[in-house]
């Protein structure tokens, strides 16, 4: 951990200051911190934590605030930002293995570009990679579309330096030969690994991540993308299932259903499809040699697998960087459009109701048949798009009223229960946060949850960090402390 410069007065933004507005919400939830503190160096972070710990002031850590569960917003106390800690400290090789060392506020896409300039590659970035911080991806064990081939963020985290609530620093590193279990998230702490695995996916409840060492791939792959149209949602899902059943799976295999497609084509420069196209499959793969030969080979596979259900003559492919950026923009426009709809209806008690559950690949078709049977009964716009190659849709119901939200939440709970019964999980990559604490006992036994609570207490005995994240209630009494107008921690 670096200690740079002389300690000055904290940079504090108080309630009533217009600058605080941008720190009050993430993608789905609004908060009300007593103050926002923007530390300028790691010594200040240590002093903030030490002071808050002594005065029992709750501390919530936030990065880019792209969270989907309220984990990066604070309902009270101090909201401490990491946005000034945005340095890539090192990119290199050791014993023939490439690595990078970063601070938490490095933007995921900027990091990916930087390592590629050095001849290496980092594949695990979320769809929101142009905004999300690397620290946030570690804090949620984010996956993104390339999980299909490379697994989650956990697979690439080699070392973490963490500042605990008492201001002390701890360093965690993975054993050289240890390979973490490749899995989507289950919510809560990862209890089936090494100590470093507790931190990955801990949603800011155990400490402040100050430095991360990540494994990299040794070379930059050549990549193409295909958007493959279908007449119906289940036809597209059947095609995905047929690829899951075979060998040589692609790098990414995503699903864009009818409603998601209707949002995608509201992009300023949308793809052009005929009215008969009702769903898309997004295929990303790596290739060596000539791209046209690789794409032609893929279309040969598609012809055999799709049983003429794919609308092959309307498929489009991206090979150049410009084309791939355009495809990414279309894909990212879906959650952006959903976020706009959420904000439009939120004041009237509506907004989106979103799920992050997943099921094992062999259960995907059965689960999605049930989802598409039950969801229309609500009479609401809804979509189930995203990582269906991994049995992981991003479910979104668009509600105009609180009554509609209540009904959508009831169906979502039923989906989460069924996902667990199928051997899956309730929180694949967004975490539990503050919005989904009711799902933790659905996923885990009381015994496992007690072990998680004991782990939390060992790192943060007063339960001040990330208050409200993961656990529905705190096991330690916490005084409601804040920050006064002079900038002092009470």
């Amino acid at each position: 951990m670096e200690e740079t410069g002389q300690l000055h007065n904290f940079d504090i933004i108080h309630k009533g200051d217009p600058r605080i507005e941008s720190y009050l919400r993430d993608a789905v939830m609004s908060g009300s911190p007593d103050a926002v503190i923007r530390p300028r160096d790691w010594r200040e972070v240590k002093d903030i934590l030490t002071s808050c710990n002594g005065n029992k002031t709750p501390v919530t850590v936030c990065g880019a605030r792209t969270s989907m569960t309220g984990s990066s917003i604070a309902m009270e106390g101090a909201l401490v930002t990491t946005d000034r800690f945005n340095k890539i400290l090192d990119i290199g090789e050791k014993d023939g293995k490439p690595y990078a060392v970063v601070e938490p506020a490095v933007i995921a896409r900027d990091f990916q570009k930087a390592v590629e300039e050095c001849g290496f590659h980092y594949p695990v970035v979320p769809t929101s990679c142009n905004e999300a911080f690397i620290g946030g991806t570690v804090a949620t064990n984010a996956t993104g579309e390339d999980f299909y081939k490379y697994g989650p963020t956990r697979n690439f985290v080699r070392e973490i330096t963490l500042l605990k609530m008492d201001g002390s620093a701890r360093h965690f590193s993975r054993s050289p030969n240890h390979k973490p279990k490749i899995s989507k998230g289950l919510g809560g702490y990862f209890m089936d690994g090494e100590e470093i695995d507790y931190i990955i996916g801990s949603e800011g409840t155990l400490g402040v991540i100050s430095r991360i060492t990540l494994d990299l791939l040794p070379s930059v792959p050549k990549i193409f993308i295909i958007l493959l149209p279908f007449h119906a949602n289940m036809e597209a899902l059947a095609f995905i299932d047929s690829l899951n059943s075979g060998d040589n799976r692609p790098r990414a295999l995503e699903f864009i259903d009818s409603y998601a497609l209707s949002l995608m084509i509201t992009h300023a420069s949308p793809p052009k499809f005929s009215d008969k196209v009702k769903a898309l499959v997004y295929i990303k793969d790596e290739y060596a040699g000539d791209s046209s030969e690789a794409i032609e080979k893929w279309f040969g596979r598609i012809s055999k697998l799709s049983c003429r259900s794919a609308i092959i003559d309307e498929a489009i492919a991206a090979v150049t960087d410009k084309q791939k950026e355009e495809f990414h923009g279309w894909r990212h426009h879906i959650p952006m459009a959903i976020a706009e709809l959420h904000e439009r209806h939120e004041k009237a008690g509506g907004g989106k109701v979103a799920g992050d559950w997943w099921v094992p690949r062999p259960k995907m078709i059965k689960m999605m048949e049930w989802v598409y049977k039950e969801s229309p009964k609500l009479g609401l716009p809804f979509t189930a798009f995203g990582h269906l190659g991994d049995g992981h849709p991003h479910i979104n119901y668009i509600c105009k009223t609180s009554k509609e939200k209540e009904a959508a939440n009831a169906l979502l709970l039923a989906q989460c229960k069924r996902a667990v019964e199928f051997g899956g999980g309730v929180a694949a990559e967004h975490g539990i946060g503050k919005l989904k604490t009711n799902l933790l006992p659905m996923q885990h036994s009381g015994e496992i949850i007690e072990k998680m609570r004991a782990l939390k207490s060992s790192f943060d005995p007063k339960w001040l960090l990330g208050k409200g994240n993961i656990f529905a209630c705190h096991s330690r009494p916490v005084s409601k402390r804040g920050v006064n107008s002079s900038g002092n921690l009470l």
Side-chain angles (χ1 to χ4, degrees), residues 325-360:
E325 285 296 323
E326 186 176 42
F327 275 40
H328 181 269
W330 295 338
R331 168 68 173 78
H332 188 37
H333 186 69
I334 298 169
M336 290 179 64
I338 292 170
E340 290 174 4
L341 289 169
H342 172 75
E343 291 186 15
R344 185 185 307 170
H345 299 305
E346 189 178 22
K347 289 183 179 180
K352 73 173 183 178
V353 171
D356 189 35
W357 52 260
W358 64 276
V359 295

Side-chain angles (χ1 to χ4, degrees), residues 37-70:
I37 309 179
R38 299 187 66 218
R40 287 160 287 209
D41 56 50
W42 289 111
R43 171 63 69 85
E44 285 198 355
V45 177
K46 177 180 178 180
D47 288 349
I48 291 165
L49 293 174
T50 302
S51 182
C52 287
N53 190 56
N55 293 299
K56 296 185 179 180
T57 300
V59 171
T60 300
V61 182
C62 79
R65 299 174 301 285
T66 57
S67 63
M68 304 292 290
T69 62

